[in-house]
Amino acid sequence: MPEDSFDRITDLAARLLKAPIALVSLIDSDRQWFKSRVGIDEVQTPRGISFCEHAIASEGETFVIQDACEDTRFKNNPLVNGPPYIRFYAAAPLRLEGCAVGTLCVADTAPRTLTESDLSVLKTLGELIVDQLLTRKSELETWYHIQLLQMAEEAAKLGHWRIDYLEKKVFWSPQVFKIHGLKPGEYQPDFNNFTQFYHPEDREDVRASLRSALESKRPFEYELRLMHQPTGTFRLVHARGIPQLSSDGTKVRSIFGVLRDITDREELHRRLSHAEKMASVGTLAAGVGHEINNPLNYIKTNADLLLEELDKLSGVDRTKAMRECLSMAEDISEGANRIARIVNSLKTLSRASDGRREKVDLRQSLTTAQRICQSEIRSKAQVIEDFSPQTPNILADEGQIVQIAVNLIVNAAQSMSEESFSENQIRLRTGIASPKVAFFEVEDNGSGMEEHILTRAFDPFFTTKPPGVGTGIGLAVCHNIVATHRGGIEIWSKPGSGTSIRVTLPTADTLEELTPAPSLPPPSITASEQTVLIVDDEPLVGRSLARALRAYETTVFTSARLAIELLKEGTSFDVIICDLMMPGINGVGLYRFLEQHRPDLVQCMLFVTGAVFSSGIEELSSQIDIPILTKPVSPNELRKLVERMANAPIQAHKEQVTHPSMRVS
């Protein structure tokens, strides 16, 4: 690109040395190109034929060719024998930091000589060119550093500032203006009132920090609240200042510093802390879930067995006491079922997503979510289920679908007041939105939202709820989950008329139907000579399982070690039921023993577990071809499974075990 400063020097060289051609020539790897030129149209030539190549290789301050036709280096050069027909050439090499980068040269079409004065002029003009190149280099480096600084400040949400106490001026970088929500040129920082944008309670702290820096001549820093002008909201900023002293070190000339918006960082730290707490709660819930399921298993099993026994009594024998016992057993069973549903719901919600997709019943997912939210909605609203029986299954992560539904239901409940309980309604809908697309919807008649709030509903960290009630990430997380499932989410709301949020999701492939389970005969409860080994570290669990399988000859151990001792003696069983999580040798340990020492019994194994939250269960299921039941175990389901396993050929065990209750949850 032509530049006047270079062109003026080139023109001066041509006139002072009376040369028709003058050039500022710069060299790169394979060419010379002309930064400035007089008397020639070309903008570059190959480096291999350039005179400049020889000039920069010389060690002198100037390089002169009086007659190129008489010089063996140039007499066959195309620049000599063709346009521009150079015969005379003189150059001053241009050296930057000891490295030659080009030349200032003059040329003529006739042989010539130069006087010492002419060479001195050429050398001086060359030095002016070098000065210009150094200035451009410095300007470019300065521009480059300024651009880097601005980009770094923007990325870090950090700006720099200076308070000049001698000139009584305040300087802000563009990013400091941005942190304030102001624009350069539209506002000039006020030296006498530069604390005006801080929170009224924090202004004295700013002034105290500056006074201390002036007196002690030491750096300072603070984290205080600064008002963002367009929104009127307060942002948390971190400032650090360093005093700049006079030459004699006796007084502070100015204070230079940086200002950074740390609102988002602090919010992220708070949320990460909350996430860590929730992870701890999840770990605690996993242990609690396991501990609940073990006693729950024998409570439910014995309650169901008690119901079976009482139900066998004839109508004549059903005295009032017997009927009362029957009623109590029914209550116990219902209570156990309710606890089991709660634990299962927590398992579904808290299971970390591993990207796995399975067929999910939207109606069941919303029912699960509703149970989880009972404590939130019980005193707020009546829930109405409007589930279409034609609602198709979707292919999804069930835990994440329940997570979305829980969030929407809780949001709906929080938009209502307890005083209006009789009028408050939350309606849950499912159905078909269009071919291959299913939907579920959560609708409430709560307070609704204004338009300006509605447009930001899915923004991360945006919430209108008071501190401690809402985090502002719920709907953003829902939006992200729906997007990963290739679905959509829409929201309608009007102040005073409530809110409706609809989630649409692709249906599972209708051609990919599950293979129906083979029809099975009802379980037998007649006496059998078949044998069952039960291993569970909870004696009451083992006893209740044996009671449910009283038609079989059962052996119960409370440790896998004792069971292994018996199996080492050669004793065989038709079915081996083993708890997965036990002290010492666990269920997997027993399985590994059978693999090595009793392979004939490997496919006789059935695992039971109360660890409903364990992600390792799913991994185990993919590695070991053994059915797994989660506690509490229904006596009927247990009998069905044991009968199928005891009566089926060993090689067919896995094929016969297809009941949904055996799938890992």
Side-chain angles (χ1 to χ4, degrees):
M1 178 181 295
E3 293 187 51
D4 289 343
S5 57
F6 289 101
D7 290 343
R8 285 194 295 269
I9 297 174
T10 307
D11 181 67
L12 186 60
R15 287 191 288 111
L16 290 175
L17 300 176
K18 298 180 175 58
I21 299 172
L23 305 168
V24 174
S25 175
L26 300 177
I27 291 289
D28 62 21
S29 60
D30 56 5
R31 65 181 179 128
Q32 69 169 352
W33 56 279
F34 307 133
K35 178 67 177 175
S36 178
R37 65 189 190 278
V38 172
I40 193 171
D41 294 330
E42 287 81 359
V43 295
Q44 66 180 42
T45 64
R47 178 168 178 168
I49 65 171
S50 70
F51 283 70
C52 186
E53 171 79 6
H54 296 271
I56 64 175
S58 69
E59 296 183 356
E61 294 180 336
T62 57
F63 176 80
V64 180
I65 302 295
Q66 294 181 351
D67 188 349
C69 290
E70 300 298 327
D71 193 309
T72 56
R73 294 171 294 178
F74 301 103
K75 64 181 181 179
N76 295 320
N77 191 298
L79 300 177
V80 175
N81 299 317
Y85 299 103
I86 294 174
R87 294 288 296 277
F88 165 78
Y89 174 87
L94 307 177
R95 293 184 172 86
L96 294 180
E97 300 173 354
C99 179
V101 296
T103 65
L104 168 65
C105 63
V106 292
D108 203 337
T109 55
R112 286 183 53 183
T113 59
L114 291 180
T115 66
E116 288 298 322
S117 175
D118 291 335
L119 293 175
S120 178
V121 167
L122 183 62
K123 174 177 172 293
T124 300
L125 294 176
E127 291 172 349
L128 291 177
I129 292 292
V130 170
D131 289 343
Q132 289 294 320
L133 291 174
L134 288 172
T135 299
R136 295 296 184 273
K137 180 174 180 288
S138 177
E139 290 174 349
L140 182 61
E141 288 176 347
T142 300
W143 178 88
Y144 177 71
H145 290 146
I146 290 174
Q147 295 304 310
L148 281 180
L149 177 61
Q150 289 181 351
M151 288 190 291
E153 287 191 352
E154 289 177 6
K157 294 187 176 181
L158 176 147
H160 65 278
W161 51 269
R162 186 177 68 256
I163 302 175
D164 191 322
Y165 285 94
L166 294 183
E167 297 187 8
K168 299 190 181 308
K169 292 182 179 180
V170 177
F171 167 81
W172 287 355
S173 73
Q175 192 61 27
V176 173
F177 278 96
K178 188 172 182 178
I179 291 173
H180 283 78
L182 300 169
K183 294 182 179 179
E186 296 181 359
Y187 173 78
Q188 177 60 44
D190 186 354
F191 176 83
N192 296 311
N193 195 19
F194 48 75
T195 63
Q196 62 178 311
F197 298 120
Y198 283 89
H199 192 283
E201 297 175 0
D202 296 345
R203 292 171 188 169
E204 181 53 35
D205 290 338
V206 178
R207 289 190 284 265
S209 295
L210 293 172
R211 284 196 302 269
S212 175
L214 289 171
E215 295 169 2
S216 67
K217 304 179 182 61
R218 299 180 64 180
F220 69 89
E221 58 185 311
Y222 58 73
E223 291 183 4
L224 297 171
R225 294 163 291 178
L226 182 74
M227 179 181 286
H228 186 260
Q229 297 306 301
T231 61
T233 59
F234 284 97
R235 309 283 294 176
L236 186 64
V237 297
H238 174 267
R240 188 169 190 272
I242 301 176
Q244 180 185 11
L245 304 181
S246 58
S247 57
D248 59 5
T250 60
K251 63 174 64 176
V252 175
R253 294 174 52 89
S254 63
I255 296 179
F256 174 85
V258 292
L259 185 74
R260 184 179 185 184
D261 186 338
I262 60 172
T263 308
D264 293 343
R265 186 197 72 182
E266 292 302 304
E267 181 66 18
L268 180 59
H269 285 174
R270 189 184 70 79
R271 296 183 190 284
L272 287 175
S273 176
H274 178 70
E276 290 175 358
K277 291 179 182 178
M278 293 305 294
S280 299
V281 170
T283 302
L284 178 62
V288 171
H290 180 260
E291 292 305 313
I292 288 176
N293 268 333
N294 274 324
L296 179 61
N297 189 80
Y298 56 75
I299 291 173
K300 177 172 173 54
T301 301
N302 283 303
D304 289 348
L305 293 174
L306 180 58
L307 283 170
E308 289 180 4
E309 294 301 317
L310 291 172
D311 197 49
K312 292 177 184 177
L313 299 175
S314 65
V316 177
D317 293 332
R318 285 189 179 179
T319 62
K320 181 178 180 180
M322 283 296 183
R323 287 195 297 274
E324 189 66 23
C325 288
L326 182 62
S327 177
M328 287 188 289
E330 289 173 345
D331 290 347
I332 294 172
S333 181
E334 175 55 31
N337 287 333
R338 183 174 177 182
I339 296 172
R341 287 195 297 269
I342 293 171
V343 173
N344 189 63
S345 297
L346 289 174
K347 171 200 68 177
T348 302
L349 179 62
S350 64
R351 183 177 62 198
S353 174
D354 56 5
R356 183 173 54 87
R357 300 287 191 266
E358 59 187 358
K359 288 195 174 181
V360 174
D361 185 337
L362 279 176
R363 295 168 296 181
Q364 183 58 47
S365 294
L366 260 67
T367 299
T368 298
Q370 182 185 342
R371 285 202 300 267
I372 294 172
C373 300
Q374 273 303 309
S375 62
E376 185 70 36
I377 62 179
R378 183 180 293 113
S379 62
K380 292 286 189 70
Q382 303 174 57
V383 178
I384 300 172
E385 293 184 350
D386 185 6
F387 298 160
S388 169
Q390 282 76 44
T391 304
N393 288 339
I394 60 172
L395 200 62
D397 182 311
E398 183 183 11
Q400 290 191 328
I401 300 303
V402 172
Q403 182 180 353
I404 295 172
V406 165
N407 196 285
L408 300 186
I409 293 171
V410 169
N411 282 352
Q414 290 179 346
S415 72
M416 301 172 174
S417 65
E418 295 183 5
E419 290 77 10
S420 305
F421 173 81
S422 58
E423 290 83 26
N424 293 344
Q425 290 185 354
I426 299 176
R427 187 176 295 273
L428 308 180
R429 292 193 184 93
T430 67
I432 302 174
S434 64
K436 299 290 185 180
V437 177
F439 80 87
F440 72 87
E441 191 170 278
V442 178
E443 179 184 86
D444 66 71
N445 59 350
S447 57
M449 288 181 277
E450 298 282 355
E451 180 66 26
H452 71 280
I453 295 176
L454 189 62
T455 58
R456 299 190 59 193
F458 295 111
D459 289 355
F461 306 135
F462 175 75
T463 180
T464 58
K465 300 172 185 176
V469 177
T471 63
I473 62 173
L475 285 179
V477 170
C478 291
H479 186 278
N480 183 62
I481 293 173
V482 171
T484 61
H485 283 76
R486 298 184 180 181
I489 183 168
E490 297 177 281
I491 182 169
W492 297 270
S493 188
K494 187 176 180 181
S497 300
T499 301
S500 177
I501 300 182
R502 171 177 284 207
V503 176
T504 54
L505 297 160
T507 62
D509 187 351
T510 54
L511 298 178
E512 187 188 340
E513 294 297 333
L514 293 174
T515 305
S519 57
L520 301 170
S524 171
I525 57 173
T526 58
S528 169
E529 296 181 356
Q530 293 166 320
T531 56
V532 177
L533 172 63
I534 300 172
V535 184
D536 197 300
D537 61 311
E538 286 275 359
L540 291 175
V541 173
R543 191 186 308 166
S544 64
L545 294 178
R547 189 174 291 136
L549 298 173
R550 60 190 180 279
Y552 299 87
E553 182 181 336
T554 58
T555 301
V556 180
F557 286 118
T558 56
S559 77
R561 182 183 58 79
L562 295 175
I564 288 173
E565 293 299 322
L566 180 63
L567 294 168
K568 281 181 178 179
E569 297 174 0
T571 305
S572 293
F573 295 90
D574 295 289
V575 178
I576 299 175
I577 302 173
C578 185
D579 188 16
L580 266 176
M581 298 179 65
M582 296 184 295
I585 302 174
N586 59 19
V588 177
L590 179 57
Y591 174 84
R592 299 303 182 196
F593 166 80
L594 295 180
E595 275 189 321
Q596 295 181 20
H597 303 286
R598 295 295 304 273
D600 56 311
L601 298 180
V602 167
Q603 294 197 50
C604 296
M605 280 201 76
L606 160 66
F607 285 136
V608 292
T609 181
V612 296
F613 293 93
S614 174
S615 58
I617 302 283
E618 297 184 3
E619 183 180 353
L620 175 66
S621 178
S622 65
Q623 296 174 354
I624 298 179
D625 197 20
I626 297 297
I628 302 176
L629 286 176
T630 55
K631 299 174 182 177
V633 178
S634 162
N636 248 356
E637 296 302 324
L638 180 64
R639 291 186 193 121
K640 290 178 182 178
L641 178 53
V642 169
E643 183 169 349
R644 288 199 298 272
M645 294 181 66
N647 293 331
I650 290 178
Q651 65 269 22
H653 279 170
K654 183 64 177 179
E655 296 175 2
Q656 292 292 323
V657 177
T658 56
H659 195 277
S661 66
M662 296 160 46
R663 298 187 193 126
V664 179
S665 299

